[in-house]
Each structure stands twice: as structure tokens, then as C-alpha cells.
Amino acid sequence: MSTPTAEQAEKIADLANRVKPLLNQSSLVEWCDNDVVRRFLQGHQWDLTVSEQFLREAIAWRASYRPEAISPASLRKQLEKGEIYSYGTDRQGRAIIYFRINFPKGAVTAEKGPLIFFQMERCFRKMKKMNKNASFCVVLDLSHFSLAWCARARDGGEIIKIMTANYPECMGQVLLTNVPGIFSGLYTMLGPFIDPATKKKIVFLPTDKRKMTAKLCEYIDPDTLEAAFGGRNPYTYNDEREYAELEREEEERLREAELAEQRFQQQTNPQQAQAIAAQHAFPQQQQQQ
């Protein structure tokens, strides 16, 4: 993102101060930084009133849903299928999330919501640590799509609605591959759930395999793009390997969350923070004795 103007910087600071009283959890404090505040403003044309309304709703959603705390263990069965996973970055440095869903049995129903948000949160953490653009590129494989999924289109629409409301300016690109003709009807049905800014980022790739690969490589380097999509990368999703990596990441996330909670308590309740620190230190002192 470009450097904000003086007027935009003032709005960012103003909005951050307005919602500060709502940040009553350490996870909310860690999430609602100036970058997030700016995304809400930018996503709503820098209208302070509208942006505040949407940001307040997003804070309430995160406080109740806790997307950052979704664990890989809770998604074990879904992860085995390798239908939704993150691997590599596109030419803009955005994390890539692959949707390779076996329609209609694996359709994007409400049950898929936690897995989608889990992968999104995972990408954001990675991008922030690398000081890169905290947004993503979606590659959606529709090769197994069928009309049977249309019965669950409402669920898919609701998930899209949640994504656009709570993750503004994060959808960098959506690349639709192996698109069947019947999908256009469903896309019309989902249209009302997709904001105009997101619609502009959706690209229907050619059905011809060579042309599709050539177009994909405009967005993703062929050395990064999986061979299954015509790239040169031999990577294939492996459940055991992926899950081991997710468990390692989860251990790191929990450590960081504990440190964030300590910082939060020190700022909001110094006495309680000291008591908690003493409790953690007491067993160590006993061991030393």
C-alpha cells in the first residue's frame, strides 16, 4: 500500500481512537492495528462514519467467533482432503490460497467456513511477519463443479459476505480455473453478496488448458505454480506433511498469544499481571530449590 496522505493519516488515527474502547481482548488489540484500520477506511472510500460502523461490527464478530484461535486439530478431518490450503505467493507477493473442492460433496457450505477463515488468518500472520502485503490471491478450481451444488449456494454467499465485511481490501485476486458454462448462472446468484470492488478482482480464465496456464502465469510465476495447473512446481498437497507444519505453526501462535495476553494485562491491569507472572514463576522457584 502507498503512504497515506496527511488527511488519510488523520482519519486512521481518528478511527483507531474511536474503536479503542472496544478492544477488550488481547487478540483484538493485536489485530486492530493501523494497517487494519486503514483497510476498513480504504474499503469504504475513506468515509469515516461508514468505516466505523463496519469496523465495530468486525470487532464484535472477531470477539465472538475468534477466527485467529481456530486450531488445526479442530479441522483435522477437513485438512485430510486438501481441498483448501495455502502454498506460495503470487507475483505481487500475496499469499496464494487454493480451493480444489470436490463438488458437490465438498461444496463451500457453512461447515467449510472455519477452514477458510483458518487459512486466511494463517496467511495474514505469515505476511505480517515478513512485512509483506497482508492480502491473498485465490485460485479456485471448478473442474468438479455441478448443478447439484446450487442448492447450497446460499451458504457460499454467506461466507463471501462474512469475508468481504470482516476482511476488506484483503482479496487481492480471484482466479477461476476450469470454469464450466453452467457456473455463470451460479455467479449471477452470488453476485449480490459480492461487493463491486471484489468483483473487479475476479478473473475467469480461458477453458483451453494452454491459454489458462498462460493467463495463470501472468499472476503466478511458473516456478511457483503447481504442475497440476500447468506450472513447473512439482508440489502436491500431502496431508501428513502439511499437518505437521500446521502443528508447528500452532505452537508458535500459542506462544505469541500468551505474550500478547501478558502485554495486554500489563497495560490494562498491572496488579493482575504481576500476580499471574508470580504464579508462573513459583513452580520454577520450587524446581530450583
Side-chain angles (χ1 to χ4, degrees):
M1 290 186 178
S2 58
T3 303
T5 64
E7 182 182 0
Q8 290 172 345
E10 186 176 340
K11 287 188 175 183
I12 292 171
D14 188 357
L15 181 53
N17 285 328
R18 291 188 187 193
V19 300
K20 189 174 182 179
L22 302 176
L23 308 181
N24 56 5
Q25 298 176 13
S26 59
S27 60
L28 295 176
V29 174
E30 294 295 309
W31 169 74
C32 195
D33 57 14
N34 283 345
D35 179 62
V36 166
V37 173
R38 175 178 177 169
R39 288 176 185 274
F40 274 84
L41 283 163
Q42 190 167 327
H44 300 289
Q45 293 73 51
W46 294 92
D47 185 311
L48 194 56
T49 302
V50 174
S51 301
E52 180 181 357
Q53 176 187 342
F54 277 90
L55 181 52
R56 283 176 174 272
E57 291 174 358
I59 290 171
W61 177 76
R62 293 188 71 90
S64 61
Y65 195 92
R66 300 292 305 280
E68 79 290 342
I70 298 173
S71 68
S74 67
L75 303 170
R76 188 69 183 95
K77 289 186 178 180
Q78 292 191 59
L79 289 167
E80 288 177 356
K81 301 175 183 178
E83 293 183 331
I84 304 173
Y85 60 93
S86 173
Y87 176 75
T89 56
D90 68 3
R91 291 186 183 274
Q92 302 298 320
R94 299 172 296 213
I96 303 172
I97 300 180
Y98 288 91
F99 283 66
R100 305 187 67 181
I101 299 172
N102 182 19
F103 295 94
K105 294 181 179 179
V108 183
T109 60
E111 292 77 17
K112 288 283 192 299
L115 177 57
I116 294 172
F117 300 132
F118 169 78
Q119 295 292 4
M120 291 171 65
E121 294 286 327
R122 181 190 178 204
C123 289
F124 294 148
R125 285 194 294 270
K126 283 186 174 181
M127 294 296 101
K128 282 194 172 186
K129 286 180 181 179
M130 295 187 289
N131 293 319
K132 289 188 176 182
N133 185 9
S135 61
F136 49 88
C137 170
V138 169
V139 176
L140 178 56
D141 181 6
L142 295 168
S143 58
H144 296 288
F145 177 81
S146 73
L147 282 175
W149 185 74
C150 292
R152 305 301 300 271
R154 189 177 187 87
D155 284 349
E158 286 299 320
I159 291 175
I160 292 173
K161 189 175 180 180
I162 293 172
M163 289 169 64
T164 54
N166 296 286
Y167 298 90
E169 296 297 303
C170 292
M171 187 82 78
Q173 204 75 60
V174 181
L175 307 174
L176 304 183
T177 68
N178 301 308
V179 182
I182 57 175
F183 180 77
S184 58
L186 176 62
Y187 184 72
T188 302
M189 292 171 58
L190 293 177
F193 296 98
I194 308 173
D195 65 65
T198 301
K199 277 187 178 180
K200 292 179 181 178
K201 300 171 183 177
I202 297 175
V203 180
F204 282 72
L205 300 182
T207 54
D208 178 83
K209 295 297 182 182
R210 288 187 178 181
K211 292 181 179 179
M212 183 189 76
T213 298
K215 194 65 178 177
L216 267 174
C217 290
E218 292 181 13
Y219 299 94
I220 304 172
D221 189 285
D223 289 332
T224 300
L225 183 64
E226 294 181 25
F229 291 94
R232 295 194 289 263
N233 193 326
Y235 173 87
T236 55
Y237 184 90
N238 178 281
D239 169 53
E240 293 185 0
R241 179 190 62 208
E242 182 75 5
Y243 192 73
E245 175 64 16
L246 292 177
E247 284 188 314
R248 185 195 65 76
E249 291 179 9
E250 177 66 2
E251 290 177 0
E252 184 177 351
R253 185 194 69 79
L254 290 173
R255 287 195 297 269
E256 292 174 351
E258 184 176 355
L259 292 174
E261 180 64 22
Q262 291 176 6
R263 290 194 297 269
F264 179 73
Q265 293 297 338
Q266 288 171 355
Q267 293 173 0
T268 59
N269 194 337
Q271 292 182 343
Q272 183 177 348
Q274 291 178 359
I276 293 174
Q279 289 176 0
H280 283 289
F282 184 68
Q284 295 178 359
Q285 292 174 357
Q286 285 186 324
Q287 290 178 2
Q288 291 175 355
Q289 292 174 356

